[in-house]
Amino acid sequence: MTSPADDRGLFEAAAPSANAEHSHNAPARSVSELSAALKRTVEETYSHVRVRGEISQPKLAGSGHCYLRLKDDSAVIDAIIWRGSYSRLSVRPEEGLEVIAVGRLTTYPGRSSYQIVIESMELAGQGALLKMLEERRRRLAAEGLFAPERKRPLPFLPRTIGVITSPTGAVIRDILHRLNDRFPVHVLVWPVLVQGEGAAQQVARAVAGFNALPADGRGAVPRPDVLIVARGGGSLEDLMAFNEELVVRAVAASDIPVISAVGHETDTTLCDFAADLRAPTPTGAAEMVVPVRLDLLAQVHEGGQRLTGSLRRLIAERAMRLEGLARGLPPIERLLEEQVQRLDERSERLTRAGRGYLDRRLAEVRHLGAALRSPREQIAAKQAQLGQTAAALRSASDYLMRDQATRLGHLTTRLRPDGVLNGMARAERDLEGLGQRQHQAFERRLADLSQRLTAASERLQASSHEAVLRRGYALVRDEQGAVLSGQAAAVAAGAVRVQFHDGDVSAQVHGPLDDGSAPGPAEPPARRPAARKGKAGDGRQESLF
């Protein structure tokens, strides 16, 4: 229970908060600051998540990163697998595949979206995978690859043993240690991938390669008497390379006896059925292939085990200290993730923009080229226009002469001969002078138009492609006469015709020239004809034609 005074104190304390809701004193954040705060919150809260969903729209970029989506019946989340993590995946992303993805959540401020960065991936359930393996086992067994009569006995004391495994794992060390403890023999190691993309192909090639060595021992490398296909333990997805049909057929076709030592004792692969003998572990394979030696080697092996254990503990201690120091440093991969994703998007947009820009420019050039008229057509049009103008001037001159003659006749009939002889003489002289001036004006006008036409013709000839050819350039066409405007078109045409200013020659294009040579000299600017000055005081402006 609270007293009225206490209630009043609570009310007074809450009042400033209500007023603060309507204040505008809160600092304004930029978009980048808000995006960075959201990114930190999401990454710190969901630094490790396991998501189950169906893969949709997987896309492998040119940079090696994989972009996809995980969805269920009611939601979709974007996902990305960086190149380093993608190469270590045991399951490759495929459309419609249901998986369990392990990674962390982050945001991409460039699109205001969130996504999961996948670090590992596994199938959602082993039911479908086991069903597929069972169907494959039945099909191969029906072909007789697992028949007992195909099994061959192992040699009692092999001189050379071939081991097919990873050179960096603990399996090869265990096998070599066991062989040295029991009976040292010559060992040939064929390094292969035992997990991930390309592992099955490498294992099959290794089995075939050992069988391809000469059996008489005359080669530089001796042929093994027995083969061991080995791998350490792991999940069903990790051992999928030894369930591939390619590996099973290679083991079954081997002329050299094969021991399958894949996984632990509880792990079973199709390679075990095709091999001549199955070992529960890689160490067990080493025990099967050679007999026991002296007890002294057991003591040496024990000392070696203690040394190996102390070395492993020392390495583990140093690794733990190194991990502790590394926690205080920000991982460089996270700093580059956003920029790498942004670079992928910009590179795709730049490629599309470049193609679009070139297509638009090519269309504009073709449109402008189709609208151009040849110099001959323009000269012919101007000549026709000049002829029409000359004809009009002649008609006007004739009409003026006839009109002046008619007016003179009228004046002559109205005037008396005795009083106007002197006036008629003056009129005749004036009429004759007027005709001469009109004829001279016509000749000057005709000469002016002819000179302007000649200058326009010279300018057109200077700007035509024939003038360009006379300056040392050439026009390339294909055998049908079409103009080739680029290197790719000339290489595709093969046989071309090269037009010079004094004739054509044929040529054969063998391919693009990529020797880094510098471009030729720039074309000198064409001299523009000097503008003809008009007469003083006529007020006319020269036109192009």
Side-chain angles (χ1 to χ4, degrees):
M1 296 294 292
T2 58
S3 63
D6 295 336
D7 294 340
R8 185 174 61 256
L10 292 174
F11 178 77
E12 291 176 354
S17 298
N19 295 331
E21 293 179 356
H22 301 285
S23 64
H24 299 281
N25 294 329
R29 294 187 177 184
S30 65
V31 176
S32 299
E33 292 176 349
L34 184 58
S35 300
L38 289 174
K39 185 180 183 67
R40 288 194 301 270
T41 302
V42 172
E43 290 182 350
E44 291 175 359
T45 305
Y46 302 98
S47 60
H48 180 78
V49 295
R50 297 180 78 247
V51 181
R52 178 170 181 167
E54 180 181 339
I55 295 178
S56 175
Q57 301 177 3
K59 177 183 177 183
L60 186 61
S63 58
H65 311 311
C66 181
Y67 300 91
L68 53 93
R69 289 184 172 185
L70 293 177
K71 65 178 183 179
D72 55 14
D73 54 352
S74 60
V76 177
I77 182 174
D78 292 336
I80 182 172
I81 307 176
W82 301 117
R83 180 175 58 186
S85 301
Y86 184 81
S87 61
R88 297 190 299 268
L89 290 181
S90 59
V91 179
R92 287 291 180 262
E94 297 180 2
E95 182 72 29
L97 189 64
E98 187 175 2
V99 298
I100 296 177
V102 180
R104 55 185 175 82
L105 285 184
T106 184
T107 63
Y108 181 49
R111 288 199 303 262
S112 299
S113 62
Y114 68 95
Q115 58 189 5
I116 178 174
V117 178
I118 298 177
E119 298 174 355
S120 62
M121 184 185 297
E122 60 185 13
L123 294 176
Q126 294 186 355
L129 186 59
L130 291 175
K131 181 179 179 181
M132 179 193 67
L133 293 179
E134 180 62 22
E135 292 177 355
R136 183 179 297 174
R137 186 192 67 79
R138 292 179 181 177
R139 178 168 53 83
L140 296 177
E143 297 181 12
L145 299 182
F146 305 153
E149 55 271 16
R150 294 175 59 92
K151 311 297 182 182
R152 287 155 297 186
L154 301 180
F156 174 73
L157 186 59
R159 296 181 179 180
T160 304
I161 299 175
V163 180
I164 302 173
T165 187
S166 172
T168 59
V171 172
I172 185 62
R173 293 196 299 270
D174 294 342
I175 293 177
L176 294 178
H177 288 165
R178 183 61 66 184
L179 291 176
N180 289 332
D181 290 343
R182 296 176 64 86
F183 202 103
V185 293
H186 184 58
V187 178
L188 295 176
V189 180
W190 194 301
V192 296
L193 292 176
V194 295
Q195 179 179 342
E197 183 179 1
Q201 289 79 1
Q202 292 189 17
V203 173
R205 285 197 297 266
V207 175
F210 274 130
N211 282 270
L213 295 175
D216 54 4
R218 296 181 180 179
V221 179
R223 183 179 182 180
D225 299 319
V226 65
L227 298 180
I228 298 177
V229 180
R231 189 209 186 281
S235 62
L236 183 60
E237 291 80 4
D238 297 337
L239 304 179
M240 277 302 297
F242 300 91
N243 290 315
E244 296 293 337
E245 184 175 348
L246 182 65
V247 175
V248 175
R249 292 187 180 276
V251 171
S254 175
D255 296 330
I256 305 174
V258 179
I259 298 177
S260 176
V262 179
H264 297 302
E265 186 172 1
T266 57
D267 298 324
T268 303
T269 62
L270 298 182
C271 182
D272 298 337
F273 295 100
D276 298 288
L277 185 64
R278 176 185 180 273
T281 60
T283 305
E287 295 175 355
M288 293 178 180
V289 75
V290 293
V292 179
R293 203 183 176 189
L294 302 176
D295 295 338
L296 181 60
L297 296 179
Q299 298 177 5
V300 175
H301 173 69
E302 182 181 358
Q305 289 289 354
R306 288 197 300 269
L307 179 61
T308 302
S310 62
L311 181 61
R312 289 178 179 173
R313 288 191 298 271
L314 179 62
I315 294 175
E317 180 183 355
R318 293 292 186 268
M320 185 179 300
R321 292 180 59 187
L322 183 61
E323 291 177 358
L325 295 174
R327 291 192 188 99
L329 297 176
I332 189 64
E333 293 82 4
R334 296 193 180 182
L335 299 177
L336 295 178
E337 287 174 358
E338 180 180 342
Q339 302 301 327
V340 168
Q341 190 171 358
R342 191 186 303 272
L343 180 60
D344 290 339
E345 292 186 354
R346 294 297 188 273
S347 61
E348 294 181 1
R349 291 172 56 187
L350 181 59
T351 302
R352 294 193 298 268
R355 295 196 189 100
Y357 178 78
L358 292 179
D359 293 341
R360 290 193 300 272
R361 291 304 181 190
L362 181 59
E364 292 178 1
V365 170
R366 290 176 177 173
H367 177 70
L368 294 176
L372 291 176
R373 297 174 61 188
S374 65
R376 293 188 181 88
E377 294 178 357
Q378 298 184 22
I379 292 173
K382 291 301 178 180
Q383 286 178 348
Q385 183 180 357
L386 181 59
Q388 293 176 1
T389 304
L393 288 176
R394 291 190 186 95
S395 298
S397 178
D398 294 341
Y399 175 77
L400 183 59
M401 292 291 293
R402 288 193 302 270
D403 182 63
Q404 294 296 333
T406 302
R407 293 174 63 184
L408 182 60
H410 290 168
L411 291 174
T412 303
T413 55
R414 286 198 299 267
L415 294 175
R416 291 179 295 175
D418 54 356
V420 293
L421 292 178
N422 295 331
M424 289 178 61
R426 287 193 302 270
E428 289 178 357
R429 288 194 299 270
D430 293 341
L431 180 59
E432 183 178 357
L434 179 61
Q436 290 178 357
R437 288 195 301 272
Q438 185 178 4
H439 181 70
Q440 293 174 358
F442 171 73
E443 292 296 335
R444 287 195 301 271
R445 178 60 176 171
L446 187 61
D448 182 39
L449 292 177
S450 177
Q451 185 178 3
R452 293 173 62 185
L453 178 61
T454 302
S457 176
E458 292 177 355
R459 288 196 294 271
L460 286 175
Q461 290 295 339
S463 62
S464 66
H465 76 283
E466 295 177 352
V468 176
L469 296 181
R470 284 194 294 271
R471 290 199 296 270
Y473 291 87
L475 183 63
V476 183
R477 305 174 184 268
D478 59 11
E479 292 182 346
Q480 289 73 27
V483 177
L484 303 178
S485 61
Q487 182 195 66
V491 173
V496 298
R497 293 171 54 192
V498 183
Q499 179 184 352
F500 297 93
H501 71 94
D502 55 352
D504 297 353
V505 295
S506 61
Q508 187 72 25
V509 180
H510 298 286
L513 181 61
D514 190 9
D515 56 355
S517 59
E523 178 186 350
R527 295 185 59 186
R528 301 179 59 184
R532 182 176 178 270
K533 296 182 179 180
K535 295 183 179 180
D538 56 3
R540 295 177 298 173
Q541 181 179 358
E542 292 288 340
S543 64
L544 180 60
F545 301 105

